[in-house]
mmCIF file of all heavy atoms in Angstrom:
data_model
loop_
_atom_site.group_PDB
_atom_site.id
_atom_site.type_symbol
_atom_site.label_atom_id
_atom_site.label_comp_id
_atom_site.label_asym_id
_atom_site.label_seq_id
_atom_site.Cartn_x
_atom_site.Cartn_y
_atom_site.Cartn_z
ATOM 1 N N THR A 1 117.149 71.610 113.514
ATOM 2 C CA THR A 1 117.811 72.924 113.638
ATOM 3 C C THR A 1 119.293 72.795 113.332
ATOM 4 O O THR A 1 120.119 73.265 114.096
ATOM 5 C CB THR A 1 117.552 73.535 114.996
ATOM 6 O OG1 THR A 1 117.940 72.614 116.012
ATOM 7 C CG2 THR A 1 116.110 73.945 115.170
ATOM 8 N N THR A 2 119.626 72.163 112.225
ATOM 9 C CA THR A 2 121.012 72.108 111.741
ATOM 10 C C THR A 2 121.034 72.576 110.284
ATOM 11 O O THR A 2 120.010 72.662 109.641
ATOM 12 C CB THR A 2 121.547 70.676 111.848
ATOM 13 O OG1 THR A 2 120.668 69.764 111.130
ATOM 14 C CG2 THR A 2 121.620 70.192 113.281
ATOM 15 N N ALA A 3 122.224 72.842 109.796
ATOM 16 C CA ALA A 3 122.337 73.267 108.405
ATOM 17 C C ALA A 3 122.028 72.136 107.453
ATOM 18 O O ALA A 3 121.454 72.362 106.387
ATOM 19 C CB ALA A 3 123.763 73.846 108.185
ATOM 20 N N GLU A 4 122.449 70.954 107.817
ATOM 21 C CA GLU A 4 122.248 69.766 106.950
ATOM 22 C C GLU A 4 121.804 68.640 107.868
ATOM 23 O O GLU A 4 122.133 68.575 109.057
ATOM 24 C CB GLU A 4 123.465 69.416 106.173
ATOM 25 C CG GLU A 4 123.966 70.471 105.211
ATOM 26 C CD GLU A 4 125.200 70.050 104.493
ATOM 27 O OE1 GLU A 4 125.796 69.004 104.855
ATOM 28 O OE2 GLU A 4 125.637 70.781 103.596
ATOM 29 N N ASP A 5 121.099 67.646 107.305
ATOM 30 C CA ASP A 5 120.712 66.479 108.047
ATOM 31 C C ASP A 5 121.026 65.217 107.272
ATOM 32 O O ASP A 5 120.501 65.041 106.171
ATOM 33 C CB ASP A 5 119.222 66.540 108.393
ATOM 34 C CG ASP A 5 118.792 65.326 109.242
ATOM 35 O OD1 ASP A 5 119.324 65.213 110.333
ATOM 36 O OD2 ASP A 5 117.918 64.600 108.778
ATOM 37 N N PRO A 6 121.818 64.292 107.873
ATOM 38 C CA PRO A 6 122.190 63.073 107.141
ATOM 39 C C PRO A 6 120.973 62.173 106.876
ATOM 40 O O PRO A 6 120.986 61.343 106.009
ATOM 41 C CB PRO A 6 123.200 62.405 108.074
ATOM 42 C CG PRO A 6 122.986 62.995 109.402
ATOM 43 C CD PRO A 6 122.514 64.406 109.144
ATOM 44 N N GLU A 7 119.893 62.348 107.619
ATOM 45 C CA GLU A 7 118.702 61.546 107.430
ATOM 46 C C GLU A 7 117.743 62.136 106.389
ATOM 47 O O GLU A 7 116.706 61.593 106.078
ATOM 48 C CB GLU A 7 117.938 61.367 108.754
ATOM 49 C CG GLU A 7 118.779 60.625 109.829
ATOM 50 C CD GLU A 7 118.010 60.537 111.134
ATOM 51 O OE1 GLU A 7 116.730 60.546 111.100
ATOM 52 O OE2 GLU A 7 118.668 60.453 112.172
ATOM 53 N N GLY A 8 118.115 63.308 105.857
ATOM 54 C CA GLY A 8 117.346 63.911 104.815
ATOM 55 C C GLY A 8 116.090 64.669 105.266
ATOM 56 O O GLY A 8 115.235 64.998 104.492
ATOM 57 N N ARG A 9 116.022 64.912 106.604
ATOM 58 C CA ARG A 9 114.855 65.666 107.114
ATOM 59 C C ARG A 9 115.022 67.148 106.749
ATOM 60 O O ARG A 9 116.116 67.666 106.563
ATOM 61 C CB ARG A 9 114.795 65.514 108.642
ATOM 62 C CG ARG A 9 114.499 64.115 109.069
ATOM 63 C CD ARG A 9 114.595 63.956 110.564
ATOM 64 N NE ARG A 9 115.972 64.151 111.029
ATOM 65 C CZ ARG A 9 116.397 64.068 112.288
ATOM 66 N NH1 ARG A 9 115.485 63.787 113.231
ATOM 67 N NH2 ARG A 9 117.659 64.197 112.592
ATOM 68 N N PRO A 10 113.927 67.872 106.637
ATOM 69 C CA PRO A 10 114.010 69.312 106.347
ATOM 70 C C PRO A 10 114.702 70.079 107.501
ATOM 71 O O PRO A 10 114.579 69.653 108.657
ATOM 72 C CB PRO A 10 112.530 69.751 106.218
ATOM 73 C CG PRO A 10 111.749 68.719 106.954
ATOM 74 C CD PRO A 10 112.516 67.408 106.822
ATOM 75 N N THR A 11 115.409 71.132 107.161
ATOM 76 C CA THR A 11 116.125 71.920 108.142
ATOM 77 C C THR A 11 115.503 73.306 108.222
ATOM 78 O O THR A 11 114.830 73.744 107.324
ATOM 79 C CB THR A 11 117.617 72.043 107.846
ATOM 80 O OG1 THR A 11 117.796 72.989 106.760
ATOM 81 C CG2 THR A 11 118.209 70.704 107.463
ATOM 82 N N VAL A 12 115.797 74.032 109.290
ATOM 83 C CA VAL A 12 115.238 75.396 109.465
ATOM 84 C C VAL A 12 115.706 76.340 108.368
ATOM 85 O O VAL A 12 114.980 77.308 108.097
ATOM 86 C CB VAL A 12 115.586 75.920 110.872
ATOM 87 C CG1 VAL A 12 114.841 75.200 111.961
ATOM 88 C CG2 VAL A 12 117.090 75.921 111.132
ATOM 89 N N LEU A 13 116.893 76.071 107.781
ATOM 90 C CA LEU A 13 117.411 76.971 106.753
ATOM 91 C C LEU A 13 116.553 76.963 105.502
ATOM 92 O O LEU A 13 116.641 77.897 104.709
ATOM 93 C CB LEU A 13 118.852 76.631 106.433
ATOM 94 C CG LEU A 13 119.863 76.784 107.557
ATOM 95 C CD1 LEU A 13 121.280 76.494 107.045
ATOM 96 C CD2 LEU A 13 119.825 78.201 108.132
ATOM 97 N N GLU A 14 115.735 75.934 105.340
ATOM 98 C CA GLU A 14 114.892 75.852 104.179
ATOM 99 C C GLU A 14 113.674 76.794 104.257
ATOM 100 O O GLU A 14 112.960 76.990 103.305
ATOM 101 C CB GLU A 14 114.388 74.425 103.957
ATOM 102 C CG GLU A 14 115.546 73.464 103.687
ATOM 103 C CD GLU A 14 115.082 72.027 103.618
ATOM 104 O OE1 GLU A 14 113.881 71.784 103.286
ATOM 105 O OE2 GLU A 14 115.888 71.106 103.893
ATOM 106 N N TYR A 15 113.449 77.406 105.456
ATOM 107 C CA TYR A 15 112.258 78.234 105.673
ATOM 108 C C TYR A 15 112.577 79.701 105.672
ATOM 109 O O TYR A 15 111.667 80.527 105.867
ATOM 110 C CB TYR A 15 111.600 77.835 106.990
ATOM 111 C CG TYR A 15 110.982 76.468 106.956
ATOM 112 C CD1 TYR A 15 111.692 75.338 107.190
ATOM 113 C CD2 TYR A 15 109.605 76.303 106.693
ATOM 114 C CE1 TYR A 15 111.147 74.049 107.141
ATOM 115 C CE2 TYR A 15 109.006 75.065 106.651
ATOM 116 C CZ TYR A 15 109.815 73.961 106.881
ATOM 117 O OH TYR A 15 109.243 72.682 106.827
ATOM 118 N N VAL A 16 113.856 80.104 105.498
ATOM 119 C CA VAL A 16 114.220 81.514 105.520
ATOM 120 C C VAL A 16 115.028 81.819 104.248
ATOM 121 O O VAL A 16 115.456 80.914 103.579
ATOM 122 C CB VAL A 16 115.063 81.852 106.770
ATOM 123 C CG1 VAL A 16 114.202 81.649 108.030
ATOM 124 C CG2 VAL A 16 116.305 81.021 106.840
ATOM 125 N N PRO A 17 115.197 83.102 103.892
ATOM 126 C CA PRO A 17 115.966 83.428 102.667
ATOM 127 C C PRO A 17 117.378 82.830 102.716
ATOM 128 O O PRO A 17 118.002 82.714 103.757
ATOM 129 C CB PRO A 17 115.997 84.965 102.728
ATOM 130 C CG PRO A 17 114.753 85.353 103.496
ATOM 131 C CD PRO A 17 114.638 84.276 104.522
ATOM 132 N N LYS A 18 117.872 82.539 101.517
ATOM 133 C CA LYS A 18 119.212 81.923 101.418
ATOM 134 C C LYS A 18 120.328 82.928 101.566
ATOM 135 O O LYS A 18 121.466 82.609 101.892
ATOM 136 C CB LYS A 18 119.355 81.171 100.091
ATOM 137 C CG LYS A 18 118.380 80.016 99.934
ATOM 138 C CD LYS A 18 118.659 79.210 98.676
ATOM 139 C CE LYS A 18 117.652 78.055 98.526
ATOM 140 N NZ LYS A 18 117.644 77.181 99.678
ATOM 141 N N THR A 19 120.020 84.228 101.278
ATOM 142 C CA THR A 19 120.988 85.282 101.427
ATOM 143 C C THR A 19 120.345 86.453 102.219
ATOM 144 O O THR A 19 119.193 86.773 101.952
ATOM 145 C CB THR A 19 121.555 85.786 100.084
ATOM 146 O OG1 THR A 19 120.445 86.183 99.255
ATOM 147 C CG2 THR A 19 122.351 84.664 99.408
ATOM 148 N N PRO A 20 121.061 87.076 103.106
ATOM 149 C CA PRO A 20 122.411 86.668 103.565
ATOM 150 C C PRO A 20 122.353 85.347 104.334
ATOM 151 O O PRO A 20 121.269 84.971 104.886
ATOM 152 C CB PRO A 20 122.857 87.833 104.489
ATOM 153 C CG PRO A 20 121.583 88.397 105.005
ATOM 154 C CD PRO A 20 120.619 88.259 103.858
ATOM 155 N N ARG A 21 123.475 84.654 104.389
ATOM 156 C CA ARG A 21 123.499 83.366 105.045
ATOM 157 C C ARG A 21 123.342 83.531 106.563
ATOM 158 O O ARG A 21 123.973 84.409 107.160
ATOM 159 C CB ARG A 21 124.815 82.653 104.732
ATOM 160 C CG ARG A 21 124.913 81.240 105.336
ATOM 161 C CD ARG A 21 126.200 80.574 104.903
ATOM 162 N NE ARG A 21 126.312 79.235 105.466
ATOM 163 C CZ ARG A 21 127.353 78.431 105.257
ATOM 164 N NH1 ARG A 21 128.334 78.844 104.503
ATOM 165 N NH2 ARG A 21 127.378 77.253 105.837
ATOM 166 N N VAL A 22 122.459 82.741 107.133
ATOM 167 C CA VAL A 22 122.204 82.843 108.606
ATOM 168 C C VAL A 22 122.420 81.414 109.218
ATOM 169 O O VAL A 22 122.541 80.406 108.510
ATOM 170 C CB VAL A 22 120.775 83.337 108.894
ATOM 171 C CG1 VAL A 22 120.607 84.774 108.439
ATOM 172 C CG2 VAL A 22 119.726 82.417 108.256
ATOM 173 N N PHE A 23 122.396 81.375 110.524
ATOM 174 C CA PHE A 23 122.500 80.115 111.224
ATOM 175 C C PHE A 23 121.598 80.194 112.456
ATOM 176 O O PHE A 23 121.270 81.265 112.969
ATOM 177 C CB PHE A 23 123.960 79.847 111.639
ATOM 178 C CG PHE A 23 124.656 81.028 112.301
ATOM 179 C CD1 PHE A 23 124.517 81.251 113.654
ATOM 180 C CD2 PHE A 23 125.408 81.889 111.522
ATOM 181 C CE1 PHE A 23 125.163 82.324 114.246
ATOM 182 C CE2 PHE A 23 126.017 83.004 112.126
ATOM 183 C CZ PHE A 23 125.902 83.205 113.470
ATOM 184 N N PRO A 24 121.131 79.007 112.923
ATOM 185 C CA PRO A 24 120.242 78.996 114.076
ATOM 186 C C PRO A 24 120.994 79.244 115.407
ATOM 187 O O PRO A 24 122.102 78.770 115.576
ATOM 188 C CB PRO A 24 119.622 77.592 114.049
ATOM 189 C CG PRO A 24 120.645 76.793 113.324
ATOM 190 C CD PRO A 24 121.293 77.666 112.313
ATOM 191 N N CYS A 25 120.380 79.975 116.282
ATOM 192 C CA CYS A 25 120.917 80.198 117.662
ATOM 193 C C CYS A 25 120.290 79.158 118.565
ATOM 194 O O CYS A 25 119.143 79.280 118.927
ATOM 195 C CB CYS A 25 120.625 81.589 118.139
ATOM 196 S SG CYS A 25 121.412 82.902 117.152
ATOM 197 N N GLY A 26 121.084 78.153 118.930
ATOM 198 C CA GLY A 26 120.536 77.108 119.776
ATOM 199 C C GLY A 26 119.758 76.100 118.978
ATOM 200 O O GLY A 26 119.691 76.191 117.746
ATOM 201 N N ARG A 27 119.135 75.150 119.695
ATOM 202 C CA ARG A 27 118.440 74.088 119.005
ATOM 203 C C ARG A 27 117.123 73.767 119.673
ATOM 204 O O ARG A 27 116.906 74.048 120.810
ATOM 205 C CB ARG A 27 119.308 72.777 119.019
ATOM 206 C CG ARG A 27 120.543 72.910 118.135
ATOM 207 C CD ARG A 27 121.267 71.561 118.044
ATOM 208 N NE ARG A 27 122.420 71.627 117.165
ATOM 209 C CZ ARG A 27 123.120 70.572 116.784
ATOM 210 N NH1 ARG A 27 122.719 69.331 117.202
ATOM 211 N NH2 ARG A 27 124.134 70.715 115.974
ATOM 212 N N LEU A 28 116.245 73.204 118.858
ATOM 213 C CA LEU A 28 115.069 72.481 119.381
ATOM 214 C C LEU A 28 115.109 71.094 118.747
ATOM 215 O O LEU A 28 115.491 70.948 117.606
ATOM 216 C CB LEU A 28 113.782 73.205 118.913
ATOM 217 C CG LEU A 28 113.419 74.558 119.547
ATOM 218 C CD1 LEU A 28 112.155 75.066 118.907
ATOM 219 C CD2 LEU A 28 113.245 74.438 121.043
ATOM 220 N N ASP A 29 114.667 70.096 119.506
ATOM 221 C CA ASP A 29 114.636 68.769 118.945
ATOM 222 C C ASP A 29 113.593 68.724 117.830
ATOM 223 O O ASP A 29 112.698 69.569 117.723
ATOM 224 C CB ASP A 29 114.394 67.681 119.993
ATOM 225 C CG ASP A 29 113.033 67.807 120.657
ATOM 226 O OD1 ASP A 29 112.031 67.518 119.997
ATOM 227 O OD2 ASP A 29 112.988 68.170 121.877
ATOM 228 N N ALA A 30 113.669 67.696 116.996
ATOM 229 C CA ALA A 30 112.831 67.652 115.804
ATOM 230 C C ALA A 30 111.331 67.668 116.154
ATOM 231 O O ALA A 30 110.550 68.264 115.421
ATOM 232 C CB ALA A 30 113.130 66.370 115.016
ATOM 233 N N GLU A 31 110.928 67.051 117.274
ATOM 234 C CA GLU A 31 109.515 66.983 117.641
ATOM 235 C C GLU A 31 108.994 68.254 118.301
ATOM 236 O O GLU A 31 107.790 68.437 118.436
ATOM 237 C CB GLU A 31 109.254 65.742 118.492
ATOM 238 C CG GLU A 31 109.433 64.423 117.787
ATOM 239 C CD GLU A 31 108.537 64.351 116.539
ATOM 240 O OE1 GLU A 31 107.329 64.497 116.686
ATOM 241 O OE2 GLU A 31 109.075 64.154 115.436
ATOM 242 N N THR A 32 109.913 69.102 118.787
ATOM 243 C CA THR A 32 109.476 70.323 119.416
ATOM 244 C C THR A 32 109.280 71.403 118.400
ATOM 245 O O THR A 32 110.084 71.607 117.495
ATOM 246 C CB THR A 32 110.497 70.754 120.492
ATOM 247 O OG1 THR A 32 110.606 69.758 121.478
ATOM 248 C CG2 THR A 32 110.048 72.069 121.175
ATOM 249 N N MET A 33 108.207 72.176 118.541
ATOM 250 C CA MET A 33 107.880 73.210 117.600
ATOM 251 C C MET A 33 108.195 74.591 118.225
ATOM 252 O O MET A 33 108.566 74.681 119.379
ATOM 253 C CB MET A 33 106.405 73.128 117.241
ATOM 254 C CG MET A 33 106.003 71.800 116.590
ATOM 255 S SD MET A 33 104.216 71.519 116.495
ATOM 256 C CE MET A 33 103.855 71.139 118.234
ATOM 257 N N GLY A 34 108.031 75.605 117.416
ATOM 258 C CA GLY A 34 108.091 76.942 117.949
ATOM 259 C C GLY A 34 109.307 77.763 117.576
ATOM 260 O O GLY A 34 109.950 77.540 116.535
ATOM 261 N N LEU A 35 109.608 78.725 118.390
ATOM 262 C CA LEU A 35 110.528 79.796 118.114
ATOM 263 C C LEU A 35 111.974 79.350 117.957
ATOM 264 O O LEU A 35 112.581 78.772 118.876
ATOM 265 C CB LEU A 35 110.457 80.897 119.189
ATOM 266 C CG LEU A 35 111.362 82.093 119.018
ATOM 267 C CD1 LEU A 35 111.015 82.831 117.728
ATOM 268 C CD2 LEU A 35 111.211 83.022 120.207
ATOM 269 N N ILE A 36 112.518 79.614 116.778
ATOM 270 C CA ILE A 36 113.931 79.462 116.512
ATOM 271 C C ILE A 36 114.429 80.821 115.975
ATOM 272 O O ILE A 36 113.775 81.409 115.094
ATOM 273 C CB ILE A 36 114.250 78.352 115.488
ATOM 274 C CG1 ILE A 36 114.196 76.993 116.117
ATOM 275 C CG2 ILE A 36 115.598 78.561 114.821
ATOM 276 C CD1 ILE A 36 115.362 76.679 117.002
ATOM 277 N N ILE A 37 115.547 81.279 116.506
ATOM 278 C CA ILE A 37 116.145 82.557 116.059
ATOM 279 C C ILE A 37 117.300 82.204 115.097
ATOM 280 O O ILE A 37 118.152 81.431 115.433
ATOM 281 C CB ILE A 37 116.665 83.349 117.224
ATOM 282 C CG1 ILE A 37 115.470 83.711 118.195
ATOM 283 C CG2 ILE A 37 117.344 84.623 116.759
ATOM 284 C CD1 ILE A 37 115.916 84.274 119.505
ATOM 285 N N LEU A 38 117.216 82.783 113.876
ATOM 286 C CA LEU A 38 118.303 82.590 112.916
ATOM 287 C C LEU A 38 118.842 83.982 112.585
ATOM 288 O O LEU A 38 118.109 84.947 112.398
ATOM 289 C CB LEU A 38 117.777 81.962 111.647
ATOM 290 C CG LEU A 38 117.167 80.523 111.812
ATOM 291 C CD1 LEU A 38 115.687 80.580 111.779
ATOM 292 C CD2 LEU A 38 117.705 79.604 110.765
#
């Protein structure tokens, strides 16, 4: 749940439209699934 990941893992921003630009509210660790608000 970050905009970029130095390890090259996919980020939540890849799953939503690129415009308008959004950001995640809060975080979930990589292994936890479920609701993220962007």
Side-chain angles (χ1 to χ4, degrees):
T1 52
T2 55
E4 298 178 354
D5 181 61
E7 299 179 26
R9 294 171 294 182
T11 76
V12 291
L13 295 184
E14 297 175 26
Y15 290 84
V16 296
K18 296 187 182 302
T19 55
R21 184 175 178 181
V22 295
F23 47 86
C25 296
R27 292 188 177 187
L28 290 177
D29 64 70
E31 291 304 303
T32 300
M33 300 167 286
L35 181 60
I36 281 286
I37 299 168
L38 299 103

